[in-house]
Amino acid sequence: MASVCKQSSNGKLNGRKSIQFKGHDGKRKTLRLGKVSMKTAEGVRAQVEHLLAHRITKHSLDRSTAQWLTEIEPELRNRLVSVGLIDARESTRLEDYCEAYYKMRETDTKPNTQKKYRNALNYIYEFFTREKLLKDITPGDCDEWRLWLVQKKLAENTVRKHCAVAKVFFNNAVRRKLIEENPFQDLKATSVPNKSREYFITAEETEKVLTACPDAEWRLIVALARYGGLRIPSEPYALRWSDINWADDRFYVSSPKTEHHEGKEGRMVPLFPQLRPYLEDCRELAEDDAEFVIVKHRHGSCNLRTTMQKIVKRAGLNQWPRLFQNLRSSRETELLSEGFQLQTVVAWLGNSAVVALKNYLQVREDDYKKATQNTAQYTTVSRGAVG
DNA sequence: ACAGTCAGATTTACGACAGC
DNA sequence: GCTGTCGTAAATCTGACTGT
């Protein structure tokens, strides 16, 4: 049925082998193996015989052939698919599929996203094993996988993130018709807000922090976060001196986080009076031809955290939950309470009203005080109205 | 038209540790 | 003791879909 052929070029044997056989469509097929020993080629030939027999009898594949299929190189498996010996749907291994998809996405995703993919893949491989066949993963297995992540004490948002990645990978498998449905489909993937990590940094606290900063650049970083509402560190790092429009009292902030969305590459932010002096200080100190505003403290690994923690400590304050995000969210909350309109504030901060409400805008202790100080007025009016 | 969700992408934060 | 790095955890965004 199937036979090993020694290939030759220019009339000379070149060590390459192939296996020829008659496919179930009656046509003669060739499976090229490249340079392999006769013994290896014979081994493959035997498996090809089994596969041919399997195709005719429709009996389930014998154990050793099934095992062999999981062990061979993806490349050989692909060739078996293309000569019609096996069905891709029946034989794709989890790892082979995921790695192929990952490789494809390396062309259109940023490094941080690829890291995230890898992160989730590791959990997927660890739980399902790399050899698992794609078709054998059931929705029930996926539920178990999620539970397994929860038991690892991961935060709800992290578990959801891993589920989201799994869904992305398996959606493509569905589109490639390797599986009928996405077994991860029903797992929740939307992130949830975490109000317990909110914190409002008051004007007094901000002043203390600014005083505790080691140099002008650090004061600027803090001022950009607390008064400008910038994302730290990506946005200060992107800031160029050419972005500052001193005359019109505003500056352009490029935003790496949102730049892949049309029209969200950056925004104009006012040179708030609380912010301007710190920027001027740094301009004084900067080289005339300096391109970037932040120079001294821009490290590849962007580890501003360690120093910031020390600054906060030196300022005599307890560290708040989100070192930089809380500064930004305090500013957004404050600008609104100062009377600026929501659409204005979100345009300056570079987020949306929905996101601001979900993740940024806080209810402050001051709000309670303000509300109760006005009690007398309110009660008089409402009593009068209800009458 | 609109509110609620989901999907997909990306950034930020943290703990541990190595090297100076 | 300070800095930078690494692996991993967590948070944020935008845009599209969906049911009403």
Side-chain angles (χ1 to χ4, degrees):
Chain A
M1 291 261 283
S3 54
V4 175
C5 297
K6 295 174 180 175
Q7 293 180 293
S8 57
S9 48
N10 302 327
K12 276 177 122 181
L13 289 180
N14 57 16
R16 297 201 170 96
K17 312 281 190 308
S18 64
I19 290 168
Q20 293 201 333
F21 61 94
K22 205 171 177 184
H24 63 288
D25 55 359
K27 286 183 181 162
R28 212 160 121 107
K29 308 269 184 179
T30 305
L31 182 68
R32 290 178 218 284
L33 300 177
K35 284 188 186 179
V36 295
S37 70
M38 200 56 196
K39 199 177 158 194
T40 309
E42 271 300 329
V44 177
R45 189 192 64 82
Q47 300 295 359
V48 168
E49 297 269 1
H50 283 137
L51 291 169
L52 283 167
H54 165 66
R55 287 248 125 169
I56 294 162
T57 60
K58 301 283 178 199
H59 285 156
S60 64
L61 212 49
D62 70 88
R63 246 190 146 69
S64 70
T65 306
Q67 179 64 29
W68 177 74
L69 281 175
T70 67
E71 288 163 0
I72 57 176
E73 292 294 316
E75 179 135 358
L76 177 57
R77 192 175 309 105
N78 288 340
R79 287 186 183 162
L80 292 173
V81 171
S82 61
V83 294
L85 279 171
I86 55 174
D87 187 337
R89 277 171 297 196
E90 293 301 311
S91 63
T92 307
R93 284 168 76 244
L94 176 63
E95 181 185 28
D96 294 340
Y97 166 72
C98 290
E99 291 307 312
Y101 181 72
Y102 180 89
K103 204 169 172 118
M104 185 175 92
R105 298 308 307 276
E106 274 182 328
T107 61
D108 74 327
T109 53
K110 289 193 179 182
N112 267 330
T113 299
Q114 289 161 23
K115 240 164 75 174
K116 195 69 220 138
Y117 284 177
R118 182 52 67 193
N119 194 191
L121 278 183
N122 289 339
Y123 279 125
I124 292 173
Y125 292 155
E126 188 182 341
F127 184 83
F128 292 102
T129 78
R130 291 162 189 263
E131 288 69 35
K132 185 94 174 174
L133 296 182
L134 223 48
K135 70 173 173 81
D136 290 338
I137 297 176
T138 66
D141 294 336
C142 298
D143 289 347
E144 264 183 60
W145 175 68
R146 185 184 196 283
L147 220 55
W148 177 74
L149 291 174
V150 170
Q151 281 160 2
K152 281 180 176 293
K153 303 280 177 208
L154 301 187
E156 176 64 18
N157 270 332
T158 303
V159 172
R160 284 171 178 238
K161 186 64 222 175
H162 291 317
C163 292
V165 174
K167 286 166 100 167
V168 170
F169 274 68
F170 277 70
N171 273 342
N172 180 257
V174 173
R175 296 180 63 79
R176 284 178 187 282
K177 301 203 184 294
L178 292 173
I179 46 176
E180 291 282 319
E181 56 169 11
N182 186 339
F184 293 91
Q185 196 58 56
D186 297 334
L187 301 186
K188 283 202 192 319
T190 317
S191 69
V192 286
N194 186 349
K195 295 280 176 192
S196 71
R197 303 191 64 195
E198 275 185 357
Y199 184 84
F200 188 86
I201 294 128
T202 64
E204 295 79 54
E205 287 172 325
T206 308
E207 283 311 310
K208 283 183 187 167
V209 172
L210 283 165
T211 310
C213 286
D215 57 30
E217 202 168 87
W218 256 110
R219 280 189 288 277
L220 179 58
I221 290 171
V222 171
L224 283 170
R226 181 57 180 81
Y227 297 131
L230 270 63
R231 294 184 181 89
I232 309 292
S234 63
E235 291 176 344
Y237 280 172
L239 206 56
R240 292 174 158 84
W241 286 115
S242 56
D243 292 329
I244 321 286
N245 185 341
W246 301 98
D248 291 335
D249 248 334
R250 64 194 67 181
F251 64 114
Y252 182 75
V253 175
S254 305
S255 180
K257 181 164 186 160
T258 58
E259 67 188 357
H260 61 290
H261 292 108
E262 203 177 325
K264 307 279 177 183
E265 301 82 4
R267 59 187 185 275
M268 271 298 175
V269 181
L271 266 182
F272 296 101
Q274 304 99 308
L275 170 60
R276 192 174 170 122
Y278 297 104
L279 202 54
E280 284 171 348
D281 283 352
C282 283
R283 179 65 268 194
E284 288 280 309
L285 295 167
E287 302 285 332
D288 286 344
D289 60 347
E291 181 183 8
F292 290 103
V293 174
I294 302 297
V295 179
K296 194 170 156 196
H297 299 294
R298 62 184 311 125
H299 319 295
S301 58
C302 52
N303 186 0
L304 294 176
R305 189 181 88 256
T306 319
T307 312
M308 184 63 184
Q309 285 171 332
K310 284 191 184 123
I311 293 171
V312 173
K313 200 174 171 186
R314 207 177 309 144
L317 303 169
N318 288 325
Q319 195 184 307
W320 44 85
R322 296 176 187 154
L323 210 47
F324 291 109
Q325 198 272 355
N326 287 154
L327 290 168
R328 175 168 150 80
S329 86
S330 296
R331 184 52 165 172
E332 191 154 28
T333 302
E334 180 178 80
L335 284 171
L336 270 168
S337 71
E338 281 178 7
F340 291 104
Q341 297 297 300
L342 183 59
Q343 78 276 13
T344 310
V345 173
V346 298
W348 289 344
L349 271 282
N351 56 16
S352 65
V354 173
V355 167
L357 280 165
K358 187 177 166 192
N359 299 308
Y360 284 83
L361 299 175
Q362 309 177 30
V363 178
R364 291 176 295 170
E365 192 50 38
D366 266 12
D367 296 322
Y368 284 92
K369 286 185 190 145
K370 244 190 240 171
T372 46
Q373 278 161 8
N374 291 337
T375 305
Q377 270 179 311
Y378 278 125
T379 44
T380 315
V381 172
S382 65
R383 275 184 186 150
V386 173

